[in-house]
CSV table of all heavy atoms in Angstrom, one decimal:
chain,number,residue,atom,x,y,z
A,206,ALA,N,-11.2,4.6,-19.3
A,206,ALA,CA,-10.8,3.4,-18.6
A,206,ALA,C,-11.5,3.1,-17.3
A,206,ALA,O,-11.2,2.2,-16.6
A,206,ALA,CB,-9.3,3.5,-18.2
A,207,ALA,N,-12.6,3.8,-17.0
A,207,ALA,CA,-13.3,3.7,-15.8
A,207,ALA,C,-13.8,2.3,-15.5
A,207,ALA,O,-13.7,1.7,-14.4
A,207,ALA,CB,-14.5,4.7,-15.7
A,208,PRO,N,-14.5,1.6,-16.5
A,208,PRO,CA,-14.9,0.2,-16.2
A,208,PRO,C,-13.8,-0.7,-15.8
A,208,PRO,O,-13.9,-1.5,-14.9
A,208,PRO,CB,-15.5,-0.2,-17.6
A,208,PRO,CG,-15.9,1.1,-18.3
A,208,PRO,CD,-14.8,2.0,-17.9
A,209,ALA,N,-12.7,-0.6,-16.5
A,209,ALA,CA,-11.5,-1.5,-16.1
A,209,ALA,C,-11.0,-1.2,-14.8
A,209,ALA,O,-10.7,-2.0,-14.0
A,209,ALA,CB,-10.4,-1.3,-17.2
A,210,LYS,N,-11.0,0.1,-14.4
A,210,LYS,CA,-10.6,0.5,-13.1
A,210,LYS,C,-11.5,0.0,-12.0
A,210,LYS,O,-11.1,-0.4,-10.9
A,210,LYS,CB,-10.5,2.1,-13.0
A,210,LYS,CG,-9.9,2.6,-11.7
A,210,LYS,CD,-9.8,4.1,-11.8
A,210,LYS,CE,-9.2,4.6,-10.5
A,210,LYS,NZ,-9.1,6.1,-10.5
A,211,THR,N,-12.8,0.0,-12.3
A,211,THR,CA,-13.8,-0.6,-11.3
A,211,THR,C,-13.5,-2.0,-11.1
A,211,THR,O,-13.5,-2.5,-10.0
A,211,THR,CB,-15.2,-0.3,-11.9
A,211,THR,OG1,-15.4,1.0,-12.1
A,211,THR,CG2,-16.2,-0.9,-10.9
A,212,THR,N,-13.2,-2.8,-12.2
A,212,THR,CA,-13.0,-4.2,-12.0
A,212,THR,C,-11.7,-4.4,-11.2
A,212,THR,O,-11.7,-5.3,-10.3
A,212,THR,CB,-12.7,-4.8,-13.4
A,212,THR,OG1,-13.9,-4.6,-14.2
A,212,THR,CG2,-12.5,-6.3,-13.3
A,213,ALA,N,-10.7,-3.6,-11.4
A,213,ALA,CA,-9.4,-3.7,-10.7
A,213,ALA,C,-9.7,-3.5,-9.2
A,213,ALA,O,-9.2,-4.1,-8.3
A,213,ALA,CB,-8.4,-2.8,-11.2
A,214,THR,N,-10.5,-2.4,-8.9
A,214,THR,CA,-10.8,-2.1,-7.5
A,214,THR,C,-11.5,-3.2,-6.9
A,214,THR,O,-11.3,-3.6,-5.7
A,214,THR,CB,-11.6,-0.8,-7.5
A,214,THR,OG1,-10.9,0.2,-8.2
A,214,THR,CG2,-11.9,-0.4,-6.1
A,215,THR,N,-12.5,-3.8,-7.6
A,215,THR,CA,-13.2,-5.0,-7.0
A,215,THR,C,-12.3,-6.1,-6.7
A,215,THR,O,-12.4,-6.7,-5.6
A,215,THR,CB,-14.3,-5.4,-8.0
A,215,THR,OG1,-15.1,-4.3,-8.3
A,215,THR,CG2,-15.1,-6.6,-7.4
A,216,THR,N,-11.3,-6.4,-7.6
A,216,THR,CA,-10.4,-7.5,-7.4
A,216,THR,C,-9.5,-7.2,-6.1
A,216,THR,O,-9.3,-8.1,-5.3
A,216,THR,CB,-9.5,-7.6,-8.6
A,216,THR,OG1,-10.3,-7.9,-9.7
A,216,THR,CG2,-8.5,-8.8,-8.4
A,217,THR,N,-9.1,-5.9,-6.0
A,217,THR,CA,-8.2,-5.6,-4.9
A,217,THR,C,-9.0,-5.7,-3.6
A,217,THR,O,-8.5,-6.2,-2.6
A,217,THR,CB,-7.8,-4.1,-5.0
A,217,THR,OG1,-7.0,-4.0,-6.2
A,217,THR,CG2,-6.9,-3.7,-3.8
A,218,SER,N,-10.3,-5.3,-3.6
A,218,SER,CA,-11.1,-5.4,-2.4
A,218,SER,C,-11.4,-6.8,-2.0
A,218,SER,O,-11.3,-7.2,-0.9
A,218,SER,CB,-12.5,-4.7,-2.7
A,218,SER,OG,-13.3,-4.8,-1.6
A,219,THR,N,-11.5,-7.7,-3.0
A,219,THR,CA,-11.7,-9.1,-2.7
A,219,THR,C,-10.5,-9.7,-2.1
A,219,THR,O,-10.6,-10.5,-1.2
A,219,THR,CB,-12.1,-9.9,-4.0
A,219,THR,OG1,-13.3,-9.3,-4.6
A,219,THR,CG2,-12.3,-11.4,-3.7
A,220,ALA,N,-9.3,-9.4,-2.7
A,220,ALA,CA,-8.1,-9.9,-2.1
A,220,ALA,C,-7.9,-9.4,-0.7
A,220,ALA,O,-7.4,-10.1,0.1
A,220,ALA,CB,-6.9,-9.5,-3.0
A,221,ALA,N,-8.2,-8.1,-0.5
A,221,ALA,CA,-8.0,-7.5,0.8
A,221,ALA,C,-8.9,-8.2,1.9
A,221,ALA,O,-8.6,-8.2,3.1
A,221,ALA,CB,-8.3,-6.0,0.8
A,222,SER,N,-10.0,-8.8,1.5
A,222,SER,CA,-10.9,-9.4,2.5
A,222,SER,C,-10.3,-10.7,3.0
A,222,SER,O,-10.7,-11.3,4.0
A,222,SER,CB,-12.3,-9.8,1.8
A,222,SER,OG,-12.1,-10.8,0.8
A,223,ASN,N,-9.2,-11.2,2.3
A,223,ASN,CA,-8.5,-12.3,2.8
A,223,ASN,C,-7.1,-11.9,3.3
A,223,ASN,O,-6.4,-11.2,2.6
A,223,ASN,CB,-8.3,-13.3,1.6
A,223,ASN,CG,-7.8,-14.6,2.0
A,223,ASN,OD1,-7.1,-14.8,3.0
A,223,ASN,ND2,-8.1,-15.7,1.3
A,224,GLY,N,-6.8,-12.3,4.5
A,224,GLY,CA,-5.6,-11.8,5.2
A,224,GLY,C,-4.3,-12.2,4.6
A,224,GLY,O,-3.2,-11.7,5.0
A,225,ASP,N,-4.4,-13.2,3.6
A,225,ASP,CA,-3.1,-13.6,3.0
A,225,ASP,C,-2.6,-12.8,1.8
A,225,ASP,O,-1.7,-13.2,1.1
A,225,ASP,CB,-3.2,-15.1,2.6
A,225,ASP,CG,-4.3,-15.3,1.5
A,225,ASP,OD1,-4.9,-14.3,1.1
A,225,ASP,OD2,-4.5,-16.5,1.1
A,226,THR,N,-3.2,-11.6,1.6
A,226,THR,CA,-2.8,-10.7,0.6
A,226,THR,C,-1.3,-10.3,0.9
A,226,THR,O,-1.0,-10.0,2.0
A,226,THR,CB,-3.7,-9.5,0.5
A,226,THR,OG1,-5.0,-9.9,0.2
A,226,THR,CG2,-3.2,-8.5,-0.5
A,227,VAL,N,-0.5,-10.3,-0.1
A,227,VAL,CA,0.9,-10.0,0.1
A,227,VAL,C,1.1,-8.4,0.2
A,227,VAL,O,0.7,-7.7,-0.7
A,227,VAL,CB,1.8,-10.5,-1.0
A,227,VAL,CG1,3.3,-10.1,-0.9
A,227,VAL,CG2,1.8,-12.1,-1.0
A,228,VAL,N,1.8,-8.0,1.2
A,228,VAL,CA,2.2,-6.6,1.4
A,228,VAL,C,3.6,-6.6,1.8
A,228,VAL,O,4.2,-7.6,2.0
A,228,VAL,CB,1.3,-5.8,2.4
A,228,VAL,CG1,-0.2,-5.7,1.9
A,228,VAL,CG2,1.3,-6.5,3.7
A,229,TYR,N,4.2,-5.3,2.0
A,229,TYR,CA,5.6,-5.2,2.3
A,229,TYR,C,5.8,-4.2,3.5
A,229,TYR,O,5.1,-3.2,3.5
A,229,TYR,CB,6.4,-4.8,1.1
A,229,TYR,CG,6.3,-5.8,0.0
A,229,TYR,CD1,5.3,-5.7,-1.0
A,229,TYR,CD2,7.2,-6.8,-0.2
A,229,TYR,CE1,5.1,-6.6,-2.0
A,229,TYR,CE2,7.1,-7.7,-1.2
A,229,TYR,CZ,6.1,-7.6,-2.1
A,229,TYR,OH,5.9,-8.5,-3.2
A,230,THR,N,6.7,-4.5,4.3
A,230,THR,CA,7.1,-3.6,5.4
A,230,THR,C,8.6,-3.3,5.3
A,230,THR,O,9.3,-3.8,4.4
A,230,THR,CB,6.9,-4.3,6.8
A,230,THR,OG1,7.6,-5.5,6.9
A,230,THR,CG2,5.4,-4.6,7.0
A,231,THR,N,9.1,-2.3,6.1
A,231,THR,CA,10.5,-2.0,6.1
A,231,THR,C,11.1,-2.2,7.4
A,231,THR,O,10.3,-2.5,8.4
A,231,THR,CB,10.6,-0.5,5.7
A,231,THR,OG1,9.9,0.3,6.7
A,231,THR,CG2,10.1,-0.2,4.4
A,232,LYS,N,12.4,-2.2,7.5
A,232,LYS,CA,13.1,-2.5,8.8
A,232,LYS,C,12.7,-1.5,9.9
A,232,LYS,O,12.6,-1.9,11.1
A,232,LYS,CB,14.6,-2.5,8.6
A,232,LYS,CG,15.1,-3.7,7.7
A,232,LYS,CD,16.6,-3.6,7.6
A,232,LYS,CE,17.1,-4.8,6.8
A,232,LYS,NZ,18.6,-4.8,6.6
A,233,THR,N,12.5,-0.3,9.6
A,233,THR,CA,12.3,0.7,10.6
A,233,THR,C,11.0,1.4,10.6
A,233,THR,O,10.6,2.1,11.5
A,233,THR,CB,13.4,1.8,10.5
A,233,THR,OG1,13.4,2.4,9.2
A,233,THR,CG2,14.8,1.2,10.8
A,234,GLY,N,10.2,1.2,9.5
A,234,GLY,CA,9.0,2.0,9.4
A,234,GLY,C,7.8,1.3,10.2
A,234,GLY,O,7.9,0.2,10.7
A,235,THR,N,6.7,2.1,10.2
A,235,THR,CA,5.5,1.6,10.9
A,235,THR,C,4.3,1.4,10.0
A,235,THR,O,3.2,1.2,10.4
A,235,THR,CB,5.1,2.6,12.1
A,235,THR,OG1,4.9,3.9,11.5
A,235,THR,CG2,6.2,2.7,13.1
A,236,LYS,N,4.6,1.5,8.7
A,236,LYS,CA,3.6,1.3,7.7
A,236,LYS,C,3.8,0.0,6.9
A,236,LYS,O,4.9,-0.5,6.8
A,236,LYS,CB,3.6,2.5,6.7
A,236,LYS,CG,3.6,3.9,7.4
A,236,LYS,CD,2.3,4.2,8.0
A,236,LYS,CE,2.3,5.6,8.6
A,236,LYS,NZ,1.0,5.9,9.3
A,237,TYR,N,2.7,-0.5,6.3
A,237,TYR,CA,2.9,-1.5,5.3
A,237,TYR,C,2.6,-1.0,3.9
A,237,TYR,O,1.8,0.0,3.8
A,237,TYR,CB,2.0,-2.8,5.6
A,237,TYR,CG,0.5,-2.6,5.5
A,237,TYR,CD1,-0.1,-2.7,4.3
A,237,TYR,CD2,-0.2,-2.3,6.6
A,237,TYR,CE1,-1.5,-2.6,4.2
A,237,TYR,CE2,-1.6,-2.1,6.5
A,237,TYR,CZ,-2.2,-2.3,5.3
A,237,TYR,OH,-3.6,-2.1,5.2
A,238,HIS,N,3.2,-1.5,2.8
A,238,HIS,CA,3.2,-0.9,1.5
A,238,HIS,C,2.8,-1.9,0.4
A,238,HIS,O,2.9,-3.1,0.6
A,238,HIS,CB,4.5,-0.4,1.2
A,238,HIS,CG,5.1,0.5,2.3
A,238,HIS,ND1,5.0,1.8,2.3
A,238,HIS,CD2,5.8,0.1,3.4
A,238,HIS,CE1,5.6,2.3,3.4
A,238,HIS,NE2,6.1,1.3,4.1
A,239,ALA,N,2.3,-1.4,-0.7
A,239,ALA,CA,2.1,-2.2,-1.9
A,239,ALA,C,3.4,-2.3,-2.6
A,239,ALA,O,4.3,-1.5,-2.4
A,239,ALA,CB,1.0,-1.5,-2.8
A,240,ASP,N,3.6,-3.3,-3.4
A,240,ASP,CA,4.8,-3.5,-4.2
A,240,ASP,C,5.0,-2.3,-5.1
A,240,ASP,O,4.1,-1.9,-5.8
A,240,ASP,CB,4.7,-4.8,-5.0
A,240,ASP,CG,6.1,-5.2,-5.6
A,240,ASP,OD1,7.1,-4.7,-5.1
A,240,ASP,OD2,6.1,-6.1,-6.5
A,241,GLY,N,6.2,-1.8,-5.2
A,241,GLY,CA,6.5,-0.7,-6.0
A,241,GLY,C,6.5,0.7,-5.3
A,241,GLY,O,6.9,1.7,-5.9
A,242,CYS,N,6.1,0.7,-4.0
A,242,CYS,CA,6.1,1.9,-3.3
A,242,CYS,C,7.5,2.5,-3.2
A,242,CYS,O,8.4,1.7,-2.9
A,242,CYS,CB,5.4,1.7,-1.9
A,242,CYS,SG,5.4,3.2,-0.9
A,243,ARG,N,7.7,3.8,-3.3
A,243,ARG,CA,9.0,4.4,-3.2
A,243,ARG,C,9.6,4.3,-1.8
A,243,ARG,O,10.8,4.4,-1.6
A,243,ARG,CB,9.0,5.8,-3.7
A,243,ARG,CG,8.2,6.8,-2.8
A,243,ARG,CD,8.3,8.2,-3.4
A,243,ARG,NE,7.7,9.2,-2.6
A,243,ARG,CZ,6.5,9.7,-2.8
A,243,ARG,NH1,5.7,9.2,-3.8
A,243,ARG,NH2,5.9,10.6,-2.0
A,244,SER,N,8.8,4.0,-0.8
A,244,SER,CA,9.3,3.9,0.6
A,244,SER,C,10.0,2.6,0.8
A,244,SER,O,10.6,2.4,1.8
A,244,SER,CB,8.1,4.0,1.5
A,244,SER,OG,7.4,5.2,1.5
A,245,LEU,N,10.0,1.7,-0.2
A,245,LEU,CA,10.6,0.4,-0.1
A,245,LEU,C,12.0,0.4,-0.7
A,245,LEU,O,12.6,-0.6,-1.0
A,245,LEU,CB,9.8,-0.7,-0.8
A,245,LEU,CG,8.4,-0.9,-0.3
A,245,LEU,CD1,7.7,-1.9,-1.2
A,245,LEU,CD2,8.5,-1.5,1.1
Side-chain angles (χ1 to χ4, degrees):
K210 186 177 181 180
T211 302
T212 303
T214 302
T215 303
T216 303
T217 302
S218 178
T219 302
S222 66
N223 192 331
D225 60 0
T226 300
V227 175
V228 294
Y229 299 87
T230 59
T231 58
K232 290 182 179 179
T233 57
T235 59
K236 310 290 185 182
Y237 67 87
H238 312 267
D240 192 15
C242 180
R243 64 175 184 268
S244 298
L245 299 173

